[in-house]
Amino acid sequence: MKTIIAACSQNLSGSRASLQTALRTLLAVPWPSQRDLRSGLQLLAVLQWVLSFLLLGTVSLLLLIYLLFTSLWPISALYLAWIIFDWDTPEKGGRRLPSLRRWTVWKHFRDYFPVKLVKTHDLSPSHNYIIGSHPHGILCVGAFCNFVTGSTGFQEMFPGIQSSLTTLAGNFRLPLFREYLMSGGLCPVTRRAIGYLLSQNGTGNAVAIVIGGAAESLSCRPGVTTLILRHRKGFVRMALQHGAFLVPSFSFGENDLFRQVVFEEGSWMRSIQRRFQKMMGFAPCVFYGRGLTSGSSRGFLPYARPITTVVGEPVAVPKVENPSREMVDRYHEMYIRALLKLFNENKTKYGLSETDELHIL
């Protein structure tokens, strides 16, 4: 018995000593600083956003298809019935949740780059607006952060103005992803959806359209400021039909977030990208950014580069139910001049040189 007690005492002493050693080792490890914690939260905020936009719709669709062949098939059946019942909601202003736009996660998302919004002129709540967002970039980070989230203070800078961002109509056919988009105030980039926002909600509405679209994303790379705009006039016609003022905006730094493999015009890969774009509405870009664990590794996360979105002077537009081609061309040219003025007056303030020019195709 004495031998057993002695052995137990020795084990307890050893365990106590091991525990004390472990605690001293743990305390000796430096705790993350506040800066490290902020950086980690910012990285996680960007990660969830990228995964949501790249995977949420596809994964949700595959999951619902899988559930159809299990005992949980009623879940898929009920959600399919809901989508059919709710089919037209995205075209009728959506279903925004103001609380989602105020999520703290968007502040961490903003600070990762960081993203900044600059106001140059007031927007009166007595008018409606179509905001042209340039350039497209790869994932439209500047447009999303400024016109969807409340993290950069759009509503404070432009009191009485409610912003909406348009995106591909096909995104609103994907389960769960459509709910996510609508809750943030996004709507399809269709005439019906834009017309509803500009005609059924009174005044004080600002619809942001990334005019260059998928075609512009194919030539996106650092140091390139080329826009697809010269022959895109549908947004001007809609502005005239609804009497919505045209507002140019430019996100300096948007094209610096990723590196893209750009295929030359006429190559077979470029041809595949063009065909895919015409069929699906978006272009399959071959791009990379930083990795999850290190900024020097390659991955799918954007690089931390500053983005400054400058909102320019509105171009006053009359309401004309059936504008002529000449009128559309005239106001389209006025918009281009306003955009060029905005770019040239701000380029040296936000990372470009005096010799950099904005090329419009």
Side-chain angles (χ1 to χ4, degrees):
M1 180 62 71
K2 291 181 179 180
T3 304
I4 294 174
I5 293 173
C8 289
S9 299
Q10 184 176 0
N11 288 337
L12 287 173
S13 299
S15 300
R16 190 180 299 110
S18 300
L19 182 60
Q20 290 174 346
T21 302
L23 286 173
R24 283 196 295 268
T25 303
L26 181 62
L27 292 173
V29 175
W31 288 88
S33 64
Q34 289 187 349
R35 180 179 179 181
D36 292 334
L37 289 174
R38 284 196 301 269
S39 298
L41 289 172
Q42 292 166 10
L43 191 63
L44 289 175
V46 174
L47 176 64
Q48 66 82 27
W49 179 78
V50 171
L51 292 179
S52 296
F53 269 79
L54 294 182
L55 298 178
L56 180 59
T58 303
V59 171
S60 299
L61 179 60
L62 294 176
L63 177 60
L64 289 178
I65 293 174
Y66 167 76
L67 291 178
L68 283 174
F69 300 95
T70 70
S71 59
L72 299 176
W73 65 266
I75 296 177
S76 296
L78 287 172
Y79 190 77
L80 177 60
W82 164 252
I83 287 183
I84 294 173
F85 173 78
D86 197 53
W87 190 261
D88 287 336
T89 299
E91 303 276 353
K92 296 180 178 180
R95 190 169 42 247
R96 69 174 63 213
L97 293 176
S99 58
L100 183 142
R101 295 163 68 97
R102 295 193 297 266
W103 275 0
T104 303
V105 68
W106 301 130
K107 295 181 180 179
H108 297 304
F109 179 87
R110 171 200 65 195
D111 294 339
Y112 170 84
F113 298 96
V115 181
K116 181 182 178 183
L117 181 65
V118 175
K119 167 186 173 181
T120 61
H121 293 79
D122 291 329
L123 299 182
S124 171
S126 61
H127 298 289
N128 285 326
Y129 302 89
I130 290 181
I131 300 177
S133 179
H134 310 275
H136 182 284
I138 296 293
L139 294 179
C140 303
V141 172
F144 177 86
C145 193
N146 288 298
F147 304 127
V148 174
T149 79
S151 61
T152 57
F154 182 91
Q155 289 186 323
E156 289 75 21
M157 290 186 189
F158 303 100
I161 304 296
Q162 179 173 265
S163 63
S164 302
L165 178 64
T166 58
T167 185
L168 292 174
N171 289 330
F172 294 89
R173 306 308 176 215
L174 295 172
L176 298 185
F177 191 43
R178 67 190 297 274
E179 321 298 342
Y180 177 74
L181 294 176
M182 284 193 290
S183 65
L186 284 95
C187 66
V189 61
T190 62
R191 290 183 179 275
R192 183 184 177 192
I194 297 171
Y196 185 93
L197 291 171
L198 296 177
S199 62
Q200 302 297 319
N201 290 343
T203 59
N205 301 290
V207 182
I209 304 175
V210 186
I211 298 170
E216 194 171 278
S217 66
L218 291 176
S219 59
C220 164
R221 59 185 184 272
V224 175
T225 48
T226 300
L227 304 182
I228 306 297
L229 176 61
R230 185 66 63 184
H231 301 290
R232 304 225 163 171
K233 302 178 182 180
F235 73 102
V236 178
R237 181 174 295 275
M238 288 210 68
L240 285 164
Q241 290 172 340
H242 296 282
F245 288 14
L246 291 166
V247 183
S249 72
F250 195 93
S251 293
F252 294 91
E254 182 73 46
N255 285 349
D256 298 331
L257 304 183
F258 294 95
R259 302 292 183 269
Q260 181 179 187
V261 179
V262 179
F263 301 102
E264 296 296 329
E265 291 290 346
S267 65
W268 65 273
M269 280 298 296
R270 190 70 161 195
S271 176
I272 291 176
Q273 288 178 314
R274 295 290 189 193
R275 290 179 182 178
F276 193 93
Q277 174 197 333
K278 290 180 180 179
M279 289 188 298
M280 303 300 294
F282 66 93
C285 301
V286 181
F287 66 90
Y288 65 89
R290 59 156 290 176
L292 181 61
T293 58
S294 170
S296 59
S297 62
R298 291 188 178 184
F300 58 90
L301 294 179
Y303 292 107
R305 302 288 187 269
I307 303 173
T308 304
T309 301
V310 184
V311 179
E313 181 179 4
V315 176
V317 174
K319 186 175 182 179
V320 181
E321 186 174 349
N322 293 303
S324 64
R325 179 179 297 181
E326 291 75 18
M327 179 175 284
V328 171
D329 289 344
R330 182 165 71 253
Y331 280 94
H332 184 262
E333 190 60 35
M334 290 171 63
Y335 176 82
I336 290 178
R337 288 200 299 268
L339 177 61
L340 288 170
K341 178 183 176 183
L342 172 71
F343 177 82
N344 290 323
E345 288 180 351
N346 292 276
K347 61 183 179 182
T348 57
K349 300 177 185 177
Y350 305 114
L352 299 180
S353 67
E354 189 64 45
T355 57
D356 283 320
E357 296 182 355
L358 185 61
H359 302 284
I360 297 178
L361 303 180

